[in-house]
Structure formats: C-alpha cells, structure tokens
Amino acid sequence: MNIVVCVKQVPDIEGRVVVEKGVISVQAMVSSDVMNPQDLLAIEEAIRIKEESGNGKVTVISLGSSETEETLRKCLALGADDAVLLDDSAFVDGDSYATACTLARAISPIPHDIILCGQRADDSQSGQVSAYLARILGVSLVRSVVKVDIGPDSGSLVLQRKLSKGDREVVECSLPTVLAVETGLNTPRNATIKGVLKARNRQIPRQNCGDLGLSREETGVTGSRTRTMRISPPKPKMKGLFVPDSKLSSADKLRAIMGGGIVQKKSDYLEGDPDDIAGQLLRFFREQKIIQK
Amino acid sequence: MSSTGGVWVLVEHRDDKLEDGSLELVGHGREVAGKTGQELAAVIFGEIPEELVTQLARYGASRVLCIKHPAAPERSVEIDTQLLSAAIEQHSPDMVLSLESITGADIARRLAARLGTGLVTACDRLDVGEDNLLAAVKPIYGSKASATIICPTSRPQMATVNPDAIDLKTPDDTASAEVVVLPVDIDLEDPGTKAVDLLRGDPRLVALVEAEIVVAGGIGLGSRENWKLVEELADAIGGSVAATRRAVDDEWITSDRQVGLTGKTVRPKLYIACGISGAIQHTMGMKDAKAIIAINTDREAPIFKMADVGVIGDVLKVLPVLTAKLREALKDKPEPGADAVFEALSNP
C-alpha cells in the first residue's frame, strides 16, 4: 500500500500567543515550531498500514522552508521512506485551497493508495485541506477517522469515524482515498536512535513552483480563495447570566436583571431541602439543554 | 425575490426537531442578510413539518427551500453535497452558511471543494465588511487569537459557525415563510464510501476527553459503597464518571478516570463535582468546562468559586434525590444520547 502523508509544521500553541499590531507570534518555552499533533498520528498510522500490508512506500510531504526539514526528518526517523519539501516564496501564506492545489500537484506523480492528513492544524484551526485535496485529485474523502483497517480484498479500507458522545460510524471506502485523521487514532511511537541517525544525513528533495508546473499566481496568497483581513486577541470569555427563560426579549432580560431577579452565575447557591435542590438543578439542566423538556 | 443572491442557511432536522443551534444560526444569518440587503432562505433536504417552518420563519427565514431528487437517494454527506452543489449552481446564492456540527462541518467542506470556492470554518461570529462582503470571525492558534476572514471573489461566500457560539435572537411571532421545492435532477456520482454500521458509545465508558457530561466524585463521598451514587447519577444523566486523585487513591475507581494535573484535562458541556473541595491539582483539569455544578457541605470550598451553580449540602443526601428526579423526568423521553443518534442517522 502506497501512502502519502501531508504534514504541517506549526507554532507550539502551548506557548504564549501574542497579537501585536495585527501580527501574531508565539513565545514558546522550548522550541517554537513543532509538527502538527494530528499529523504525527497520520505518520504513525501510515507506518502501521505499511507494516500490515507488507509492501509499498510512505512518503511525507510538506509546504515550508528550511526549518520544515526538521519535521520531515523526524518523519523519516519514525519510519517514513521518503520526504518531499515544497519550498518556494510563492507558496507562503496561502489558504487551504491554495495549499491543497500545491500539494495535489506534488502528490499526483507519487504512487498513492491512501493520502493521510491531520484533521485540522493547530494554528489555522481550519480543517479544509483534506476536502480540497480529495476533490482536486478526484478521490473519495473520509473525515474524523479514528480507526483504519485494510479491507478483505486489500483494495478497500474499513474505517471508523468519530461521531459525538463516543459513537462511531463504520465506513467502507474504496481506494485511492483521502483520510482526515482525528485524535484517538493511535499512540505514536518514538523514533529509534538508529532511525534518527539514518534520517540525519538524508537529502530531502525540494520542489518549487517551476518543478510543479505551477505559475506563481496559482499558489500562495494570489491562489487563495480567502483573505485574512485582521488578526486580533481573543474576546474575553463572557460569564453568562442566569436567565429564567432564554427566549425572553432583550428588554425583558434587562428588566429582569435590573430588578435583581437574576443572579450572576458565580454566586448562585442552592441550599436546604434536597428535593428542592434537585428540582432547581433539573431546571438548570433544561435551560442548558442538557435534558429535553 | 430574485432567483440569484440571498443567504442560504443549511438546516438539519430529524424527528420533528431542528439540530441544536439551527435557530441561532438562522437568527444570526438574518442579521447578515439584513445588512447586505438580502433575504434569508433555510435549506433542507426532503420534507419538513409545518411547525419547523414556522420556527424557521420566526427567527428570520423568508423561504424554506426543500431540495429534492426524483430518485430520493439514501442520504449521506457526499450525496447531500452533490445535491446542494447542483442547487447552488442553479440559484447562485451569495452566501451559504451551516453549523460546524459533525454533519454540517463535513458537508460545508465538501461543498466548498466541489464549488471551488472559499470557506471559513468554525466561526464564532459573522460580520459584514466593505463591499457587503461576509467577514467571518474565527478562533485560531488554539483559540488564543481570532482572525477575520473574507472571500473576495469566488462565490458563494461560505462559513460554518460553532453551534454554541451565538445566542438565540428574539423571534418575530408574526413572520411566515414560503416553502419552495427545489427539484435537483442530476446524475449522482458514486462517492466511493459507504456507511455500514453505527457503534453506539456507552456514555459511562466513553473516554473522558470525549464526554459531554462528566459526573466526578471526590473524597466527600466517604466510602467505596457511596461511590455508586456517582455512577448512578452518571447513568441517569448519560454522563461519564470521573474522579479526583484521592478517590482514585482509595481505589473507588481506576486511574484512567482521574481528572486534574496528574490525570486528564476535560472540557465537557457540564461538569458535576460531587464532594470535591476544589484543590488546584483537580481544578486545573476541569476549569474549562462550560457549566460546572458543585455539591459540597463546606460553603468555603474553593470549588464554589468556579461553579455556575453551587449546592451547599451533603452529596449523600442530594445525589439520590437528583438521580431519582432525573430518571423520572427522562422516563418516556429520548435518552440524553438522542442527539448523537440524530447526528449519526443524518450522516449515514
């Protein structure tokens, strides 16, 4: 089974995120850039599928710059066979659409039965590259994948998709296909020392616009469908107010608040008869739509 | 209303009930439509009961568009995408909005890819910017910043909105909507995928990080015998059981259920802390829960500082009554997990 894994190097969002004059930066404790966590799951799964099917190649591919080599080398150390770095100033700051167009050009000539992507990147929180990629390559797409098994005829996969509240949907899917993988898929292995040493001296081939047969307009900012107008610090989270009926009009809500009929969330205490308390909690559950009616 | 332009809001319904967040999105979409001088249409697949049409109308839908294929194919996200895509090409709406729910998120991404247009996913708010363009505001960088994103040239402009991000608007009880059938007669393509089974998760055993409701117990339960009160409440409300370290140390429950610094971090919709004082080692793991209910005898317990509702009382007395009342209230009603079935079935 030939597998291509799309990876992205992202800022370590565990660090302090600073927005200053519309420019975003991350002040991280250790290293500033890491492999997108879900992409690491994709790599692990690719290696597992290859081991199980007993043949084929795992190729990792990433849009980036020289710094991205580190992430690709990590993939090689973990067991990927090949790595490709798409590096051109024209690729910079593209949206999901432009990124997928660029990736698709690079993936087309590589033998692929399965293309694995992390469901979403930690930085953009967009989760769209897999969908655009599947469409451009003309193959099927399954999202939220948390389990991958090779089908009985080796020409298909049996997948589990994550729904809400622990439910899983079992999906059969023909090949080739794009899978967007979710947290819970597997536990990534650590690289072996042998693997790290082997990967250390590998040459990682680079491809630019010309190599992919793309014009500069077709990629990056100019090739994007969307444009980011503004980046701002997040709005502070509002502590909601306890409202007897969320369907009240604004005027009625205001009247209720002014009249002291409503207590701010934090200071709402219930005390006394357990029967009474339970009744009030039930009302709270209904207001919060935790139970119906 | 002209045959082109307009704001389309994709709405899911099942068992005479709209998907949670639908009316909120229609209300919010109505504001966007108003600012851009357009009308809002709710778009559904198949047929919709009269009372849901009325609800959609009251929150701002001028029309309800029912997409119908003559062969009435079995629904799936891929088939829905093909039908919706054809309808959009026929009628050229200016904007298409959906919820970032499991089904909505999937359809929107496939649709944008099929139409080759731009999409802003998982937004918290929709504004209107220069040239009447949709300016979608979404969290980025682990929700530590937010970005305002537009789609300048390709159409339709698309966005998905987080189901819990917007408030319900005031309904207009006099409003009504016209129901319009949109026949879509296209040759359907084989999606290459097929749903073959649905595995129901047992809420009590669901991995804590996936749980929407968590019932947690602490040392205040007093003994292993009393621990079953926590399990019974979790069972009644369809929640997952969690514990503080001390409860785990006393072997009332296994360590994979521990929440806190040395355990798991959870962000459920509801966290019920039973007999938990609120030591920082525990609260670090649950402080981001949407709603927190704390039950404790000590009114000075730090857990009350973060609780939305604080119950000052004995867990041993409150829990049995609460569990009984919940069971009574949920008798003959859909199980708390019904939403998941709704999601799953509408996404076969």
Side-chain angles (χ1 to χ4, degrees), chain A residues 13 123 125-128 132 165 167-170 172 174 225 227 229-230 232 234 265 268 270-271, chain B residues 109 116-117 119 121 138 141-144 146 148 150 194 196-197 199 201 210 212 299 308 310 312 347:
Chain A
I13 54 155
D123 53 357
Q125 295 183 223
S126 180
Q128 295 183 65
Y132 284 122
K165 296 178 186 166
D167 290 354
R168 299 284 182 265
E169 184 182 60
V170 183
E172 280 174 10
S174 58
R225 290 292 190 248
R227 194 192 306 152
M229 301 299 285
R230 196 164 48 248
S232 39
K265 260 188 163 185
D268 208 73
L270 305 174
E271 223 172 330
Chain B
R109 283 163 175 81
T117 190
L119 163 68
T121 57
K138 68 162 296 172
Y141 280 68
S143 305
K144 291 175 176 178
S146 78
T148 306
I150 60 166
K194 189 169 184 287
V196 290
D197 203 1
L199 311 173
E210 273 183 58
E212 293 190 354
R299 75 172 59 235
D308 298 274
I312 300 162
N347 190 11

Side-chain angles (χ1 to χ4, degrees), chain B residues 210-291:
Chain B
E210 273 183 58
E212 293 190 354
I213 300 173
V214 172
V215 182
I219 201 71
L221 266 297
S223 73
R224 191 173 192 157
E225 288 68 57
N226 293 337
W227 183 258
K228 70 175 192 302
L229 296 177
V230 172
E231 290 170 346
E232 279 167 6
L233 175 58
D235 188 40
I237 200 171
S240 292
V241 176
T244 62
R245 208 203 65 203
R246 292 188 64 189
V248 170
D249 284 352
D250 283 8
E251 296 184 352
W252 297 344
I253 188 164
T254 51
S255 64
D256 61 317
R257 296 272 134 186
Q258 185 184 328
V259 166
L261 267 185
T262 47
K264 303 226 159 55
T265 303
V266 295
R267 287 185 188 79
K269 279 190 185 156
L270 173 67
Y271 193 92
I272 307 179
C274 312
I276 292 174
S277 65
I280 189 152
Q281 288 81 355
H282 178 71
T283 57
M284 286 295 283
M286 46 67 80
K287 63 181 166 45
D288 292 328
K290 283 230 175 63

